[in-house]
Amino acid sequence: MVSRTNGFFVRDWSLGLGWNNMRYILEAAVLQASLLNRTLIIPSFIYARACEYPIEVCAEYAPMVNKGDAVGWEEWRSLPTEQQMGWRIPISLMVNITQIREKHPVILISDWLRMHGRSPDEERSNGMWHRDFYHASASVFEEDETKTPSLFVVENRWYDPQNVIRVDRIPDDMKERGYWEPEGGNEDAGERGHWPVQPETKVSEHLDAIAGDNAFMDFDSAKQALQEGITGVVWDLSSDEKIINLLRDNGWEVLYTYKAPWGDYTKTVVEPLLQVVRRSAIRGWVDEYAREKADVLLLAGETHLYRKPGAMRFTTRERSYDFQDTVLNYIVSVAAYDVLAFRLAQRMRARVDGRLWMGAHMRRGDFVRNGWAMEKDPKIHVERVKDRLASGRQVLESLKQKRLVPYDIPGMRVSREFVERDAPWSTDPFYIATDERDPEALRIIAEHGAVFLKDLLTMDDLREFGWPLLLTDCRAVVEQHLLARSAYFYAHILSSVAGGIVNLRAAAGADARTALVD
């Protein structure tokens, strides 16, 4: 598997983050490794951050650690002791490694250590790639025992500093338009190759004024800016094709990404978005680092916040669809989660007499503590959820009279269930996934009609799935798959959990109008 690639790619993994953040960091890493045709190295374990029972119960099944000590963060130090604990579990409990390998070669850090004559127990607890220790021994397959693996570090500040737009690769026609030179560039910023300075035009100056400090804007905004124009200047804007050509002739390029508003916390990949970018701001991942010959290429630090899914934009629509396919069909949970979710969905349907049912994610816990929850008071919060679901019920009622609308995924069709089953009644119960654990708050939410995971799980489910269901993090993945099967879904826009559910819904054939994330 490894021999088919040009060495290895690894990142500093932020193991202090929750699973959904780790998941979309993994999605970006698979993309970055595949573009360079390097075998990806991922952590052997993650930390589950909460136990559904007294912490000693989970400690019987997975090593319990102080999260702050394990990853070196101070985030949890002021919390009660039980909330500072985490449980180290194999990453293979959360993601299907075999399925990822169908798309691109991947190994674990423990595999790397074994490959170099080391014990897997020597894997660092914080997920950081050890620049020295991990490179101190030759591979067991290497005849020359003095040949230790070489390392090249892509410094964090090089990835996409201010006014730089990272893309997958720069196409030849774009290089030709902008006279791109493969050598030179700002060494302090890690730049390899550069765009020679081009004279400004009225179009480029006009767009610069609109974009301000940003090096990009949505295509529709650029189109409107050009339509409003400049007094005395006339442009041919009779088609999108002519607008794109006008942009290209004046130093701006069209790139492909996905709608993911409010800082891109959700990282959804199901609504393609066209953006325009100053050509001089574009830097290609392949163009800069495919030439590197070191055994291991390391991306230092973290790059997931405030970035688009994949941590880069794409220069062709085909590549954006390919990444979408990777996220939806290859970086997926192990099958046991979906098997259990299917069973729970049948029980939820029985509670509404076979009608379509609705659900929501109510992020409480740390969101309440940090002031991110939509409503602090559980009563007001669940009333907000019910209000959104009431609108969702109207959407579901209207689908029988409308054409079903799939998400923008090649070949996708909407499930016929949306028109073959009756819409929910206003009195129907609805499913709530939440990290709220205060008994009084849960009582209030339940009194408003909510059904929780504990209401659907049976002892047989627990026995069949096994000990991971002791961990709240694993239960949350079950709930994501369950809500992917709901007819209508509502959640908070600042949560990566919501983005994971929307992606799952899209892949399962949901109508694009049956989810609201606000």
Side-chain angles (χ1 to χ4, degrees), residues 69-98:
D69 292 342
V71 301
W73 295 3
E74 299 301 311
E75 176 183 346
W76 306 281
R77 296 295 187 192
S78 61
L79 299 178
T81 300
E82 63 272 13
Q83 295 182 35
Q84 295 187 40
M85 297 298 108
W87 291 266
R88 194 179 71 198
I89 61 175
I91 196 171
S92 56
L93 279 180
M94 305 300 284
V95 66
N96 190 329
I97 304 295
T98 304

Side-chain angles (χ1 to χ4, degrees), residues 46-61:
I46 64 161
Y47 296 107
R49 294 170 32 135
C51 181
E52 197 68 18
Y53 302 91
I55 59 175
E56 296 80 10
V57 177
C58 288
E60 290 291 324
Y61 293 89

Side-chain angles (χ1 to χ4, degrees), residues 452-471:
F452 301 120
L453 182 62
K454 66 180 179 61
D455 301 320
L456 300 179
L457 276 175
T458 68
M459 186 58 70
D460 285 342
D461 295 329
L462 297 172
R463 291 189 180 113
E464 181 177 333
F465 196 96
W467 66 266
L469 281 187
L470 297 172
L471 298 163

Side-chain angles (χ1 to χ4, degrees), residues 405-417:
V405 178
Y407 283 92
D408 193 346
I409 302 172
M412 180 56 65
R413 293 185 179 183
V414 178
S415 168
R416 295 295 301 170
E417 192 171 83

Side-chain angles (χ1 to χ4, degrees), residues 20-21 23-25 27-28 258-270 303-312 323 327-328 493 495-500 502-503:
N20 280 284
N21 283 271
R23 173 182 51 77
Y24 62 63
I25 294 169
E27 292 167 358
Y258 315 92
K259 293 180 183 177
W262 276 38
D264 294 297
Y265 286 99
T266 60
K267 295 289 191 291
T268 50
V269 297
V270 296
T303 59
H304 79 285
L305 285 176
Y306 311 114
R307 291 173 174 87
K308 286 293 183 184
M312 65 179 70
F323 178 66
V327 171
L328 299 183
I493 202 167
S495 174
S496 57
V497 173
V502 170
N503 282 342

